[in-house]
Amino acid sequence: MKKFSGVLIATDLDGTLLNSVQELSPKNREAIEYFMSNGGYFTFATGRSPLASEALFGMIPVNVPALMSNGGVLFDIPSKTALEVEYLSPECKKLAYLVHEKFPEVAIEIHLLEKKFVINRGLAVDAHFNFVKCTGEDVKDIATVEAFKSDWLKILVVDDADIVREVGDWLIPAYGADFEIVFSGATLLEIQNKGTGKGEGLMRLADKLGVKREHVYTCGDNQNDLSMLKITECFAPENATPEVKSVATHIMPHHNNDMMAAVIQFLDQKYSRNG
């Protein structure tokens, strides 16, 4: 049996594994390959949809399916196949209408498995699409999206930070008990079914792999990572939000300073001691 047999690392991408220019550093890559060559399972758990993750396929070494859309999609990268998908309920989809009615100028992205739609495209949406290297189709209203007759993966409010915070400050107290409504960045507010989260998706993956929870490790920097960080031994980069740092088991170097290499070095020492 190899040193990391039965050990799983799941990491957030943006602000955690990748640096500020969306690259995987050579040290991080070397550490990941070392971890996997010694029997470990490595994957990522991201808020990005499969469409918004395509630019990263092949760039990040993984050896088990990835979690996308905040755990709503279990995705096999080599075959580019969604293995499991959690689509939005009709009740959750109604939140898009409510947000659009109360904030008629706010930008909303509606993510499907195969495409994205945008209402009120603005600079924040353009910046987001440029960041994830994909685009979306502009529509005038939500009814146009419904006419496409395809299930939704998630609703994303994308606008200036003050506006997105205002939407969140209204939406979360009113509907947060019934739906997953979390910030994945200052300009991004994610809306999905209750029970859809990185933590829930990760535990399903761990069960499929036969990995015990005490051998699952997670890394993240923002609110949408909390559901997996809270249920595992976890690592947060120095740049993580205060909320994430408050629950992190370990604070590691900034995401621009080879954070994942430090995580794997820590685990290397831990599993060497454990024999």
Side-chain angles (χ1 to χ4, degrees):
M1 181 178 291
K2 295 183 177 180
K3 180 185 294 187
F4 298 122
S5 294
V7 179
L8 170 62
I9 297 176
T11 180
D12 173 56
L13 294 178
D14 305 312
T16 305
L17 177 64
L18 302 178
N19 62 23
S20 296
V21 291
Q22 293 296 285
E23 293 176 344
L24 180 67
S25 73
K27 284 187 177 181
N28 281 343
R29 175 179 292 278
E30 181 180 2
I32 294 167
E33 290 173 347
Y34 168 78
F35 176 76
M36 293 193 303
S37 70
N38 280 277
Y41 295 125
F42 188 86
T43 193
F44 60 83
T46 180
R48 296 182 186 219
S49 67
L51 186 64
S53 303
E54 282 187 354
L56 304 175
F57 293 172
M59 186 181 92
I60 300 170
V62 299
N63 57 1
V64 293
L67 295 162
M68 301 179 186
S69 294
N70 293 315
V73 179
L74 183 65
F75 197 86
D76 181 67
I77 292 177
S79 66
K80 296 185 179 180
T81 302
L83 304 176
E84 296 180 4
V85 183
E86 173 75 19
Y87 292 111
L88 298 194
S89 68
E91 293 75 19
C92 190
K93 291 167 70 173
K94 289 177 183 177
L95 293 190
Y97 289 91
L98 294 175
V99 171
H100 189 52
E101 180 180 357
K102 188 169 181 66
F103 302 91
E105 302 301 319
V106 78
I108 300 173
E109 294 179 17
I110 297 174
H111 293 207
L112 282 58
L113 196 58
E114 70 278 12
K115 67 187 306 179
K116 297 181 181 183
F117 292 98
V118 186
I119 301 164
N120 296 327
R121 181 192 292 259
L123 293 177
V125 171
D126 287 339
H128 182 228
F129 283 157
N130 182 63
F131 184 78
V132 298
K133 296 179 174 60
C134 72
T135 189
E137 180 179 327
D138 291 279
V139 294
K140 292 182 179 180
D141 53 37
I142 298 165
T144 305
V145 181
E146 295 274 30
F148 192 72
K149 297 188 182 301
S150 185
D151 292 318
W152 300 8
L153 292 179
K154 70 175 182 178
I155 302 160
L156 189 62
V157 180
V158 187
D159 219 304
D160 293 342
D162 290 344
I163 296 173
V164 172
R165 176 58 63 179
E166 183 181 358
V167 175
D169 287 346
W170 167 72
L171 197 61
I172 293 172
Y175 300 98
D178 299 316
F179 304 97
E180 297 294 341
I181 307 171
V182 295
F183 292 92
S184 56
T187 62
L188 305 170
L189 182 66
E190 317 256 355
I191 303 171
Q192 292 176 275
N193 295 338
K194 194 69 177 178
T196 301
K198 294 184 180 184
E200 291 83 358
L202 178 59
M203 287 303 102
R204 290 195 300 272
L205 175 60
D207 287 343
K208 289 177 183 294
L209 297 172
V211 176
K212 297 179 180 179
R213 183 170 296 197
E214 59 265 32
H215 297 304
V216 178
Y217 301 91
T218 58
C219 310
D221 73 308
N222 220 313
Q223 190 180 61
N224 65 323
D225 300 313
L226 288 172
S227 66
M228 67 176 183
L229 299 177
K230 287 180 176 180
I231 60 174
T232 63
E233 184 171 346
C234 62
F235 304 84
E238 183 57 41
N239 54 282
T241 65
E243 185 179 15
V244 167
K245 285 183 175 180
S246 72
V247 304
T249 317
H250 311 280
I251 305 299
M252 306 305 283
H254 194 282
H255 76 119
N256 284 330
N257 294 328
D258 306 313
M259 183 259 196
M260 186 54 62
V263 170
I264 292 173
Q265 182 180 33
F266 174 91
L267 294 177
D268 192 39
Q269 294 173 352
K270 176 177 179 176
Y271 282 88
S272 292
R273 290 194 303 269
N274 292 345

